[in-house]
Amino acid sequence: MITVKDDTNVVNLRGELESELEFSHEIFGEKFYNTRIKINRLSNSYDTLPITISERLLEEIDFENNKSVRIVGQLRSYNKNINNKNRLVLTIFVREIQLAEEDNKDPNSIFLDGFICKDPIYRKTPLGREITDLLVAINRPYNKSDYIPSIVWGRNAKFAKSLKVGDRVQMWGRVQSREYEKKTDTGEVLKKVAYEVSISKIKKTSENNNE
């Protein structure tokens, strides 16, 4: 039996808050808001990631005069009905936030400890780069789970393609946004954004959820 702990899903981000706050939901009188954070990559591009934050944390930050923040939280998922179809939606649930100072720490990192919940999909790019797509379930208290789409590259992709449903894995990487185009039934091409975890390190533990 897995002991559910907060440290099975840890995200650390440093970046610029990009959009205005938008009301999301309310639980037991506590209001939560959605916004986005822009994080620079080494390649001179950037990721724009969705975040969800409590009004109680907002009181500590002066958003009007300083948009540069450091965040600690969890990458969470939920199902949302869009055009009569259930979609998996990801957001970073903020647990701590403070004004950021420039430093040499990685501005985008995540650690996940969970279970493979779908058969891995192995493929190659037109240039021959190996990729394995994973869907990993991360347990949360109160019998909840987050389902995190992840992508593994190169030699790690070769290792990941042999994983089985129920295998417990630990993964390190970063949360990324990726733009793509989707054609509708009417032929219209829409620009979409997908969110996923790009894995730089992965290992299988001895524990298996099927046992």
Side-chain angles (χ1 to χ4, degrees), residues 105-118:
K105 293 181 181 178
D106 187 348
N108 184 344
S109 66
I110 185 171
F111 168 73
L112 297 172
D113 183 341
F115 298 92
I116 302 296
C117 59
K118 185 178 179 182

Side-chain angles (χ1 to χ4, degrees), residues 78-123:
Y78 62 94
N79 284 316
K80 185 175 182 179
N81 189 284
I82 302 175
N83 296 327
N84 295 320
K85 293 182 180 179
N86 277 333
R87 303 291 187 189
L88 186 70
V89 177
L90 299 183
T91 186
I92 292 147
F93 182 81
V94 178
R95 310 193 95 173
E96 300 175 26
I97 186 170
Q98 62 185 28
L99 296 179
E101 298 178 359
E102 283 298 323
D103 56 41
N104 294 323
K105 293 181 181 178
D106 187 348
N108 184 344
S109 66
I110 185 171
F111 168 73
L112 297 172
D113 183 341
F115 298 92
I116 302 296
C117 59
K118 185 178 179 182
D119 289 331
I121 299 173
Y122 174 79
R123 53 197 169 91

Side-chain angles (χ1 to χ4, degrees), residues 27-160:
I27 300 177
F28 299 117
E30 182 178 3
K31 293 183 175 67
F32 292 85
Y33 294 86
N34 292 332
T35 185
R36 296 183 183 277
I37 185 170
K38 179 181 176 181
I39 303 164
N40 291 326
R41 294 187 188 179
L42 294 175
S43 59
N44 292 325
S45 58
Y46 57 87
D47 294 292
T48 303
L49 307 176
I51 65 172
T52 301
I53 185 168
S54 165
E55 62 179 347
R56 298 174 186 178
L57 293 177
L58 292 172
E59 296 172 357
E60 304 174 9
I61 302 294
D62 180 5
F63 286 100
E64 295 299 324
N65 299 311
N66 198 327
K67 298 285 188 180
S68 182
V69 296
R70 177 174 289 282
I71 284 172
V72 179
Q74 294 181 323
L75 183 57
R76 294 187 177 179
S77 71
Y78 62 94
N79 284 316
K80 185 175 182 179
N81 189 284
I82 302 175
N83 296 327
N84 295 320
K85 293 182 180 179
N86 277 333
R87 303 291 187 189
L88 186 70
V89 177
L90 299 183
T91 186
I92 292 147
F93 182 81
V94 178
R95 310 193 95 173
E96 300 175 26
I97 186 170
Q98 62 185 28
L99 296 179
E101 298 178 359
E102 283 298 323
D103 56 41
N104 294 323
K105 293 181 181 178
D106 187 348
N108 184 344
S109 66
I110 185 171
F111 168 73
L112 297 172
D113 183 341
F115 298 92
I116 302 296
C117 59
K118 185 178 179 182
D119 289 331
I121 299 173
Y122 174 79
R123 53 197 169 91
K124 286 187 177 182
T125 68
L127 296 177
R129 193 174 188 189
E130 296 173 285
I131 299 173
T132 296
D133 295 309
L134 300 175
L135 187 65
V136 182
I138 313 296
N139 291 334
R140 252 201 280 155
Y142 309 108
N143 294 319
K144 293 184 177 181
S145 296
D146 294 298
Y147 297 91
I148 309 300
S150 306
I151 186 167
V152 191
W153 306 84
R155 60 186 177 83
N156 286 331
K158 287 183 176 179
F159 165 78

Side-chain angles (χ1 to χ4, degrees), residues 11 75 90 110-112 132 134 148-153 171-177 195-200:
V11 180
L75 183 57
L90 299 183
I110 185 171
F111 168 73
L112 297 172
T132 296
L134 300 175
I148 309 300
S150 306
I151 186 167
V152 191
W153 306 84
M171 309 188 301
W172 294 258
R174 65 181 177 83
V175 188
Q176 69 179 18
S177 58
Y195 304 102
E196 61 200 1
V197 174
S198 178
I199 300 301
S200 58

